[in-house]
Amino acid sequence: MLPTNLTEALNAQFNNEIQAAHAYTAMASYFSGKGYHGFANFYLIQSREEHVHAMKFYQYLVTMDEQPVLQALTEPRNQYANALDVVEASLAQEKSVTANIYKLVSLADELQEHATLSFLDWFIEEQMEEEKMFRDMIIRIKGIEEGGEYFLKMDDEFAARKLEE
Ligand SMILES: [Fe+2]
Ligand SMILES: [Fe+2]
């Protein structure tokens, strides 16, 4: 068992990760609608990665003899101006997840819950990588005019991305 407030915070993050998966599926759908199938593939895999993250929280709660509780999803944003708009929204989402993870770490530290601190280490690293990935994408997209040859080459490259589990 874990302290009630820590269990609630971990459970909230379990649900946040599912909400993040939901949001990335909506972004994939935006690209599918545009016919940019590579970008759609990238975002569908991103969505599945968020579900993998959610399951890490699920398993951790179960390991600590706590029961994960599913909450309602909110409607994600479905309309975007262009690819850059989607990637900027992705970076903003990741920054808010990072802030949530940091709050969890602070709470676990306050409570001297070392197992939880150790569990959360992986997420600190992961958020660094996720923010960098989207920052790099923004830089690349800003450097080209959407619709140009290089944009399409990038689309092909994203089409080759495979799910890592
Ligand atoms: Fe995540
Ligand atoms: Fe993420």
Side-chain angles (χ1 to χ4, degrees):
M1 302 291 276
L2 291 166
T4 308
N5 55 347
L6 185 58
T7 300
E8 283 172 359
L10 288 164
N11 193 75
Q13 192 56 31
F14 161 58
N15 282 277
N16 283 344
E17 299 285 348
I18 296 174
Q19 183 68 44
H22 201 44
Y24 284 133
T25 303
M27 291 175 186
S29 173
Y30 164 79
F31 284 119
S32 290
K34 289 272 179 186
Y36 293 136
H37 303 302
F39 276 86
N41 174 66
F42 177 92
Y43 273 96
L44 285 174
I45 287 173
Q46 187 65 20
S47 173
R48 291 175 69 189
E49 266 199 17
E50 297 301 345
H51 194 261
V52 170
H53 297 171
M55 290 305 110
K56 285 181 187 282
F57 280 95
Y58 181 105
Q59 290 301 344
Y60 183 68
L61 285 163
V62 171
T63 299
M64 301 311 275
D65 200 23
E66 300 290 353
Q67 186 183 343
V69 179
L70 277 292
Q71 294 162 350
L73 290 171
T74 59
E75 187 179 320
R77 188 174 157 201
N78 284 292
Q79 303 301 327
Y80 291 92
N82 49 40
L84 181 60
D85 191 19
V86 179
V87 181
E88 284 179 335
S90 306
L91 179 60
Q93 176 171 296
E94 290 302 334
K95 282 182 171 176
S96 103
V97 170
T98 302
N100 288 335
I101 297 290
Y102 283 8
K103 277 187 209 153
L104 262 174
V105 170
S106 298
L107 180 61
D109 189 46
E110 230 171 78
L111 297 166
Q112 288 292 290
E113 286 290 339
H114 296 281
T116 302
L117 284 170
S118 162
F119 165 72
L120 290 171
D121 266 351
W122 185 90
F123 285 92
I124 294 171
E125 285 283 322
E126 176 67 12
Q127 286 311 118
M128 279 169 54
E129 286 170 19
E130 297 255 272
E131 287 191 23
K132 183 184 188 306
M133 176 177 73
F134 285 118
R135 266 200 318 276
D136 287 349
M137 280 174 72
I138 288 168
I139 288 163
R140 291 175 71 189
I141 292 172
K142 275 185 173 169
I144 51 170
E145 276 191 17
E146 193 172 317
E149 218 172 291
Y150 186 70
F151 186 83
L152 298 176
K153 184 176 166 282
M154 189 162 66
D155 195 41
D156 288 340
E157 189 184 309
F158 291 154
R161 189 185 180 194
K162 300 273 191 296
L163 178 68
E164 283 177 44
E165 280 183 314

